[in-house]
Amino acid sequence: MDDEKKQPLLQPTPSDPPPDYETAAAEHAPTTQSQPLPIRPPPVRRPPGALLDLPILKHMRTHRVILASSSPRRRALLSQLGLPNLEIRPSTKPEDLSKADLGPWAYVSATAQQKALDVYAALVEEAAANQTSTTTTSTSASSSATAGISIDDARRRDPDLVIAADTVIVTREGAVLEKPSSEAAHVKMLRHLRDTRSHRVLTAICCVAPRADAQHPGYALASHVEETKVLFAREADGLPDDVIDAYVRTREGADKAGGYAVQGLGGALLVEKVDGAVDNVVGLPVRKTLQLCEKVIFRQNETSDDEEEEDE
């Protein structure tokens, strides 16, 4: 064979840019199908709590439930129960009750009740205003709303349940600690908790629901204060000042009562032992919260042990 008829082993490099990944994949895809395979969205993963078949959770999943708190920890604790329609509505009322006059338990309880009643009253007033504005709309607009229940439709209803909570730290001396106000205050707070070793975490929960019989004052209220004892590590056991200083710089505990997160680095670096409910230290004792929800919804005329103790 002549040399002129021989083909070179290497072809010249094309000057056009290479195709992108999607084009290349399409060019090499099988040609037996005329239509591309549909892309299926990933399955929606429900939290394990969505499988809990409990009467109170069934009720909460189908009614208007309000969390009167902006805390992402409290929201996460409730959301894991499978509450897809949980509304977040923090109280705007100042938390200015006197700690000295009330004491730690009465202070945290009164603050939670204040939050719950403030949000409940605001939502009832808001629903009434929305219902009034709805009656002034045209009939065509009202007839079109029968197709489904929107967020606006939900806001025209009174709340079915409001859950509020407040958490404070009580030192061994009985002082009430809330969120640190500055980096220096944060360091001082954590060093004091370490040096005194033990402290108590108090979380007050308050649940409010409308009364079925409309009896005065028109709502049922139940509250409880949960206490958990927390023991910090010693300085000689891995918690020197530089560890506390480094933790403060992470800002993990800057927005938390006591200045640490037991569910995060704070629990790993600072805490040695927890005596009681851990979710109480996080910000919401879930089991007790559900008990209070059951009371204000299903057993409105019962008197709780906490209420009997307050009466005495």
Side-chain angles (χ1 to χ4, degrees), residues 99-100 102-110 168-170 174-176 200 202 225:
K99 302 180 183 69
L102 294 173
W105 279 263
Y107 167 79
V108 73
S109 178
V168 297
I169 303 294
V170 183
V176 175
R200 288 166 292 177
L202 305 181
V225 177

Side-chain angles (χ1 to χ4, degrees), residues 11-238:
Q11 300 294 328
T13 302
S15 58
D16 296 335
D20 55 43
Y21 286 98
E22 293 183 0
T23 303
E27 291 177 350
H28 293 83
T31 58
T32 56
Q33 295 180 349
S34 58
Q35 297 295 331
L37 292 174
I39 299 176
R40 296 181 179 178
V44 178
R45 295 185 179 274
R46 297 189 301 168
L51 302 177
L52 289 172
D53 189 18
L54 300 175
I56 184 59
L57 291 178
K58 286 182 177 180
H59 181 92
M60 294 170 70
R61 289 168 188 151
T62 56
H63 289 74
R64 190 182 184 196
V65 179
I66 314 295
L67 175 61
S69 173
S70 59
S71 167
R73 278 83 57 190
R74 294 187 181 121
R75 181 176 186 175
L77 286 169
L78 286 178
S79 296
Q80 70 181 1
L81 298 174
L83 303 176
N85 300 319
L86 183 67
E87 295 181 42
I88 307 300
R89 181 71 174 265
S91 172
T92 58
K93 197 166 187 177
E95 298 179 23
D96 53 4
L97 300 176
S98 174
K99 302 180 183 69
D101 293 342
L102 294 173
W105 279 263
Y107 167 79
V108 73
S109 178
T111 300
Q113 291 185 39
Q114 178 179 274
K115 291 178 180 179
L117 291 175
D118 174 55
V119 171
Y120 181 81
L123 290 171
V124 169
E125 183 178 348
E126 182 181 289
N130 287 336
Q131 288 173 357
T132 301
S133 64
T134 301
T135 59
T136 61
T137 58
S138 63
T139 56
S140 60
S142 62
S143 62
S144 63
T146 60
I149 298 176
S150 64
I151 296 177
D152 290 336
D153 294 328
R155 289 174 178 170
R156 295 188 186 102
R157 305 198 320 262
D158 288 349
D160 296 304
L161 175 65
V162 173
I163 303 170
D166 191 61
T167 301
V168 297
I169 303 294
V170 183
T171 67
R172 293 186 66 175
E173 301 84 5
V176 175
L177 302 180
E178 295 187 280
K179 301 172 185 177
S181 57
S182 64
E183 182 173 328
H186 198 174
V187 171
K188 182 179 179 180
M189 183 181 292
L190 292 180
R191 289 184 182 180
H192 179 75
L193 293 177
R194 176 201 62 190
D195 295 340
T196 56
R197 292 299 311 280
S198 67
H199 60 273
R200 288 166 292 177
V201 180
L202 305 181
T203 295
I205 320 112
C206 182
C207 297
V208 178
R211 287 192 64 90
D213 56 8
Q215 180 180 330
H216 180 79
Y219 57 80
L221 181 148
S223 63
H224 170 76
V225 177
E226 186 79 6
E227 176 183 341
T228 301
K229 185 177 179 181
V230 178
L231 192 70
F232 263 33
R234 294 184 176 89
E235 183 175 4
D237 291 336

Side-chain angles (χ1 to χ4, degrees), residues 280-299:
N280 183 54
V281 186
V282 177
L284 191 72
V286 174
R287 184 171 58 252
K288 192 63 185 182
T289 300
L290 291 180
Q291 289 177 347
L292 295 179
C293 292
E294 287 179 330
K295 182 182 183 307
V296 298
I297 292 172
F298 300 141
R299 302 190 303 273

